[in-house]
Amino acid sequence: MTGSIVISEAALASLIGLTAHEIPGVVGMAPATLKEGLSRVLGRANAREGVVVSREGGEYAADLYVVVAYGVSIPTVARNIKDRVEHVVKTQAGIELKATRVHAVGVQRV
């Protein structure tokens, strides 16, 4: 008997969002789309906010929109996010991301 395991893009985005929140220097995620912005205004934030997962052929790519803490090295935080997200997605979901792009869209005092 053979079968397959399918991981939805929404589940993958949630895994990526939760992982990004664990990185020191990340204050939060920023809405990646107008729909997410409206959901936030209405008080419906979720784990995949600020994450856009796209699939091109059989390969996945992720864009993360983050707000970082004032005073941290943005390139260092972005690199840490990229490395950790790629590791977690590969080990926990069995998916290798073709591209992981981190967009620092804001800085906030904590």
Side-chain angles (χ1 to χ4, degrees):
M1 178 185 248
T2 60
S4 62
I5 298 171
V6 177
I7 299 172
S8 71
E9 290 179 12
L12 191 57
S14 293
L15 177 62
I16 291 169
L18 291 169
T19 301
H21 275 99
E22 295 175 349
I23 304 300
V26 174
V27 174
M29 306 298 281
T33 63
L34 179 59
K35 182 179 176 183
E36 279 187 12
L38 290 173
S39 290
R40 180 183 271 191
V41 168
L42 297 173
R44 293 186 304 235
N46 60 46
R48 64 179 185 243
E49 181 180 67
V51 179
V52 177
V53 174
S54 56
R55 187 170 183 184
E56 301 156 12
E59 298 180 310
Y60 288 94
D63 286 274
L64 292 86
Y65 298 84
V66 300
V67 177
V68 298
Y70 176 79
V72 300
S73 168
I74 295 172
T76 300
V77 172
R79 189 172 34 258
N80 291 342
I81 293 168
K82 179 183 181 307
D83 292 346
R84 182 74 179 142
V85 162
E86 288 175 353
H87 173 75
V88 167
V89 168
K90 186 173 184 177
T91 58
Q92 293 186 14
I95 295 172
E96 198 152 336
L97 294 173
K98 179 182 88 168
T100 307
R101 295 174 288 264
V102 179
H103 309 270
V105 296
V107 177
Q108 182 176 339
R109 286 190 184 266
V110 286

